Amino acid sequence: QEERAEFQRKAAQMEAEYNAKIAEKLESLSQLITAQQVWKRCHDETPEHAKKYYSERRGIPQEWQDFLFLGYMPNYTVRNHLTSYKDNAYTIPLYNFEGVIENITLRIENPIDSNDRYRRLYKSHAQHLYAPRMGKSNKVVLMEGELKAITGEAYGGLPSDFVVYGVQSKMPEKRILKMLDFAEVVYIAFDPDAYVPEGNTNRIAVIETAKQIGMERVRLVIPPNGVKFDDAMLQGYNFSNAVQMAIKPERINA
């Protein structure tokens, strides 16, 4: 028991040191991004076809585009493990709870490989929790990706005491999930593939994420017939009702 306690103490210390190091790095990065103002220029110079992409393809109204400074970056160099190429990209500033920008997500317009679809303009070597409406609430809805989080806020029809956040993975790192300790309940509304076992394993992404948050505080929002939530909402799906009908994690295999 003494050895176990010592191991846990050292693990907690290492985790705290890692989180402090990342926080310091993100603060410096935020200062650089704020000084360079790249996301503002990308928004101010957004061409009409990019504005239509946001409004018609992603369902994001112009007022939300302006509020979130969504923009467009031409001739971005995309690098992957095989090659590099030039393509245009849609820009999404990543804001934290306090409304401070931490990075810029790029949605590549015509990716050669599906893994090329998303990039971060600045190399932070850390995941980010995206808060499109900023601020905190006791009731959190967690969605996969920035664009889905925006759709959830703009079209979800959720009560005012709910807030939607976007994460960059269906199994976010522990540091990100630890940020949600203030929430009384966390509703996970991930893409359909997060609710089924991965490959030949029994690991289910939403369950693994729920364990990190705390099973008792989590509710799972079930996607409609295998459709991603943002696509469903743009077709008139009642997302707020789905959140209200969310189930406890232990019921997913029931």
Side-chain angles (χ1 to χ4, degrees):
Q1 291 180 352
E2 289 180 0
E3 290 179 354
R4 185 183 298 114
E6 179 62 15
F7 175 80
Q8 292 174 342
R9 186 191 67 79
K10 288 184 178 180
Q13 180 182 353
M14 290 177 62
E15 181 181 345
E17 291 174 353
Y18 169 77
N19 290 343
K21 184 177 180 180
I22 292 297
E24 183 179 356
K25 181 185 296 184
L26 291 180
E27 183 177 354
S28 297
L29 182 59
S30 177
Q31 293 174 1
L32 174 64
I33 297 171
T34 301
Q36 293 183 342
Q37 302 281 292
V38 172
W39 86 98
K40 287 187 177 180
R41 291 196 297 273
C42 288
H43 169 265
D44 293 343
E45 298 170 8
T46 303
E48 285 302 316
H49 82 272
K51 293 180 181 179
K52 287 184 177 180
Y53 165 83
Y54 284 122
S55 60
E56 297 177 5
R57 172 65 183 88
R58 309 304 308 207
I60 302 173
Q62 185 63 52
E63 56 266 29
W64 277 89
Q65 296 179 40
D66 294 337
F67 172 65
L68 297 170
F69 282 91
L70 304 183
Y72 189 76
M73 178 180 290
N75 296 318
Y76 174 74
T77 301
V78 184
R79 294 183 174 86
N80 58 30
H81 64 290
L82 294 176
T83 185
S84 64
Y85 57 95
K86 293 282 189 180
D87 196 7
N88 305 318
Y90 299 92
T91 60
I92 309 164
L94 292 178
Y95 305 103
N96 62 20
F97 299 131
E98 288 75 33
V100 176
I101 186 169
E102 289 187 347
N103 212 324
I104 301 173
T105 287
L106 305 177
R107 172 58 166 94
I108 306 304
E109 192 168 33
N110 301 293
I112 292 177
D113 187 284
S114 61
N115 292 325
D116 295 342
R117 288 182 303 160
Y118 290 97
R119 290 287 189 274
R120 310 287 170 252
L121 185 59
Y122 297 84
K123 305 306 177 186
S124 63
H125 303 291
Q127 292 185 11
H128 301 267
L129 184 67
Y130 177 54
R133 188 155 54 93
M134 301 138 213
K136 297 181 179 181
S137 173
N138 285 333
K139 298 175 182 177
V140 168
V141 178
L142 215 55
M143 304 191 75
E144 258 187 272
E146 295 83 15
L147 290 171
K148 290 184 177 66
I150 296 170
T151 304
E153 281 285 8
Y155 284 92
L158 295 168
S160 59
D161 58 340
F162 280 72
V163 65
V164 181
Y165 299 141
V167 290
Q168 298 167 9
S169 167
K170 58 186 175 183
M171 283 197 286
E173 64 180 12
K174 186 177 181 180
R175 181 185 65 86
I176 293 295
L177 299 178
K178 192 72 175 173
M179 295 179 184
L180 304 176
D181 281 354
F182 63 84
E184 179 182 343
V185 58
V186 178
Y187 296 86
I188 299 179
F190 285 176
D191 290 349
D193 62 350
Y195 296 78
V196 296
E198 293 188 339
N200 297 322
T201 72
N202 292 322
R203 287 165 55 89
I204 299 176
V206 290
I207 298 298
E208 298 300 317
T209 299
K211 289 177 181 177
Q212 292 282 346
I213 297 171
M215 296 280 276
E216 71 284 351
R217 292 194 301 130
V218 169
R219 298 294 180 270
L220 303 182
V221 189
I222 307 302
N225 299 319
V227 179
K228 295 180 179 180
F229 280 113
D230 57 334
D231 293 333
M233 277 185 269
L234 296 179
Q235 296 170 13
Y237 179 72
N238 191 329
F239 183 62
S240 179
N241 186 58
V243 170
Q244 299 294 342
M245 295 179 63
I247 64 174
K248 294 181 178 181
E250 54 265 26
R251 289 184 54 198
I252 195 169
N253 292 322

